[in-house]
């Protein structure tokens, strides 16, 4: 098929998920026209139902005040239960292995507090070089907290010379040789800059085979890739909910703890009253009795206003169904890749070509240096195209299957083609 506008429109016509776009607020320009929003990897669009759900909480607060803890439409004390099923669905977990709480980096610290237990020779943390800054800061400060030497205890794998991405085989090879010195492996599901999706089953298996704790960061994976955390046997996972999960700026994050780690809960888990067994929490007794499941990792009572939009979003995901979203995602991103082919002399895709090694995001290196790349981005922004920039020379674009259209992908490629001609 020729990748024409007509073809794009025919794909949209045939798309069984097309009506989901109407469930979202699409940003508009000053003239009231919809912008071309391809930035769901950074902040997902607002589900229209989010407003109703937040309003409901405000109404219940006004009406019930403190009694809302038990009498709100969705009582606030067990509020996290509204989210467990949808989060378990998207992560491939059992409902009591997941909990919505805090934000991503805070959850990462809590997981490291529980699961990073340096002992004897086994003190290292293995991660990727070029990890998201916050993950690197969290890991480095945890090592300092444990009085470990950063230079020797932090191992950061880099791609083979000339490659853009790290191969799973490199992780396996490292762990086969040096696994006995590694306490914990922290790996992303999808790399934020390149858009590479890792085979988490392989990474987790390699880590566990070497006797290490396997932790994954799903910031760019949840709502983007099929996940099977329970089956793949990850020890823990963390994520945020404002990217592909569309739960709004600063939305409540989430956490997975494998069942086998819950029964044998680590002595180093950090506690607060919200992780206490719900039935006896309000006796306020000094002794801590853990709530069952990952909910025991909760510390504080949850931010209801930052959690309500996630209910709206998770309902959409469950209605759209993960396998249909993935099928559309592969088609939509493949269409974008096809449209970028003729631009090979001015751009370079740094996202892997194999569909199983990427989600919906494509990372496009603009050849000719960073300042040219930035001018291209600025010009695209003037044309109402919303995508983003990662140093030193990469534009990230994510056609999101829940709300983006083939026609938008077509128009993006047309704009990019035009802009690249303008800016030499
Ligand atoms: C988006 C993102 C974060 C953001 O962390 P917050 O604690 O939610 O501010 C952290 N790590 C990764 C890998 C991310 O993609």
């Amino acid at each position: 098929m020729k990748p024409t506008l007509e073809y794009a429109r025919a794909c949209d016509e045939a798309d069984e998920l097309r009506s989901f776009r109407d469930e979202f607020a699409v940003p508009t320009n000053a003239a009231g026209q919809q912008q071309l929003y391809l930035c769901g990897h950074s902040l997902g669009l607002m589900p229209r139902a989010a407003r109703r759900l937040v309003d409901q909480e405000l109404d219940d607060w006004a009406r019930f005040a403190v009694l809302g803890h038990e009498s709100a439409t969705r009582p606030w004390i067990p509020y996290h239960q509204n989210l467990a099923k949808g989060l378990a669905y998207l992560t491939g977990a059992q409902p009591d292995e997941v909990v919505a709480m805090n934000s991503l980096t805070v959850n990462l610290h809590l997981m490291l507090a529980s699961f990073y237990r340096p002992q004897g020779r086994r003190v290292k943390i293995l991660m990727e070089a070029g990890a998201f800054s916050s993950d690197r800061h969290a890991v480095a400060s945890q090592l300092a907290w444990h009085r470990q030497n950063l230079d020797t205890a932090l191992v950061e794998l880099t791609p083979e010379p000339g490659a853009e991405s790290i191969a799973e085989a490199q992780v396996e090879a490292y762990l086969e040789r040096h696994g006995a010195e590694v306490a914990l492996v922290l790996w992303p599901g999808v790399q934020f800059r390149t858009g590479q999706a890792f085979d988490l089953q392989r990474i987790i298996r390699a880590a566990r085979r070497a006797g290490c704790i396997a932790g994954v960061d799903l910031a760019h994976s949840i709502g983007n890739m099929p996940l099977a955390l329970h089956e793949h046997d990850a020890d823990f996972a963390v994520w945020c909910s404002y990217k592909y999960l569309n739960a709004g700026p600063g939305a409540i994050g989430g956490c997975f703890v494998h069942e086998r780690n819950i029964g044998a809960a680590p002595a180093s888990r950090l506690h607060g009253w919200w992780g206490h067994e719900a039935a006896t929490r309000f006796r306020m007794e000094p002794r801590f009795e853990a709530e069952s499941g990952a909910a025991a990792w909760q510390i504080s009572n949850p931010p209801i206003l930052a959690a309500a939009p996630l209910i709206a979003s998770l309902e959409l995901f469950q209605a759209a169904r993960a396998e249909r979203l993935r099928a559309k995602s592969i088609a939509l991103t493949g269409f974008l890749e096809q449209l970028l082919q003729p631009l090979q002399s001015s751009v370079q895709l740094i996202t892997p070509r194999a569909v199983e090694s990427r989600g919906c995001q494509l990372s496009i290196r603009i050849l000719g240096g960073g300042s040219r790349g930035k001018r291209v981005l600025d010009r695209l922004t003037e044309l109402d195209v919303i995508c983003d920039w990662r140093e030193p020379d990469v534009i990230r674009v994510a056609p999101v299957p829940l709300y983006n259209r083939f026609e938008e992908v077509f128009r993006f490629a047309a704009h990019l083609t035009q802009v690249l001609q303008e800016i030499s």
Side-chain angles (χ1 to χ4, degrees), residues 15-289:
D15 173 14
E16 56 181 359
L17 299 176
R18 68 182 175 281
S19 64
F20 280 92
R21 179 185 176 88
D22 304 332
E23 305 292 332
F24 290 89
V26 179
T28 49
N29 64 14
Q33 292 155 334
Q34 285 189 346
Q35 291 178 318
L36 223 168
Y37 195 81
L38 296 170
C39 222
H41 57 278
S42 183
L43 188 76
L45 294 184
M46 185 189 88
R48 292 185 184 282
R51 190 186 299 281
R52 183 169 47 74
L53 282 152
V54 172
D55 274 349
Q56 170 106 68
E57 298 308 335
L58 292 171
D59 288 345
D60 284 357
W61 177 21
R63 182 162 160 229
F64 298 112
V66 70
L67 301 183
H69 284 304
E70 279 162 355
S71 307
T73 313
R74 291 182 185 77
W76 299 327
I77 290 175
Y79 204 84
H80 67 279
Q81 291 172 3
N82 294 305
L83 302 162
K85 192 166 150 252
L87 292 173
Y89 173 69
L90 289 180
T91 55
Q94 296 172 4
D96 67 351
E97 289 177 316
V98 294
V99 61
M101 61 181 193
N102 312 310
S103 44
L104 191 161
T105 312
V106 172
N107 288 338
L108 180 53
H109 274 297
L110 295 179
M111 290 294 105
L112 291 172
S114 285
F115 295 109
Y116 175 57
R117 309 301 297 157
Q119 232 168 29
R121 278 176 67 212
R122 203 182 270 284
V123 300
K124 295 182 178 172
I125 296 183
L126 176 69
M127 63 192 298
E128 38 144 14
F132 196 94
S133 58
S134 200
D135 298 46
R136 172 75 163 61
H137 299 324
V139 166
S141 58
Q142 286 274 341
L143 289 171
W145 169 255
H146 285 278
R147 300 179 195 282
Q148 294 293 328
N149 178 340
L150 186 65
D151 295 335
T152 52
L154 179 60
V155 182
E156 297 173 282
L157 286 189
T158 50
E160 300 286 1
E164 293 293 342
S165 45
I166 300 173
E168 287 86 354
Q170 283 179 261
V171 183
E172 291 168 336
Y174 182 87
L175 288 169
E176 260 163 46
R177 285 192 58 191
H178 306 288
E181 293 165 17
V182 176
L184 184 144
V185 177
L186 176 65
W187 213 258
V190 171
Q191 217 288 339
F192 77 99
R193 196 177 64 84
T194 64
Q196 178 188 10
F198 288 97
D199 183 340
L200 287 179
Q201 183 170 22
R202 275 180 72 181
I203 305 275
I204 294 165
R205 193 190 290 142
R208 306 240 327 124
R209 202 190 290 132
C212 317
I213 290 282
V216 289
D217 185 328
L218 301 178
H220 287 265
S221 315
I222 190 166
N224 179 22
M225 297 297 289
L227 294 165
L229 293 179
H230 179 85
E231 188 197 323
H232 293 166
D233 218 16
D235 282 287
F236 70 83
V238 292
W239 58 86
C240 52
S241 309
Y242 44 83
K243 291 170 181 161
Y244 297 108
L245 284 196
N246 314 311
I252 193 166
C255 199
F256 161 92
V257 180
H258 198 282
E259 187 182 43
R260 72 185 141 73
N261 290 329
I262 291 170
S268 52
R269 184 171 61 201
L270 298 179
H271 289 159
W273 71 324
W274 229 252
H276 190 282
E277 180 189 53
T280 54
R281 180 184 298 143
F282 288 92
R283 289 188 198 155
M284 306 291 222
E285 284 170 353
R287 207 185 121 81
F288 183 84
E289 298 289 350

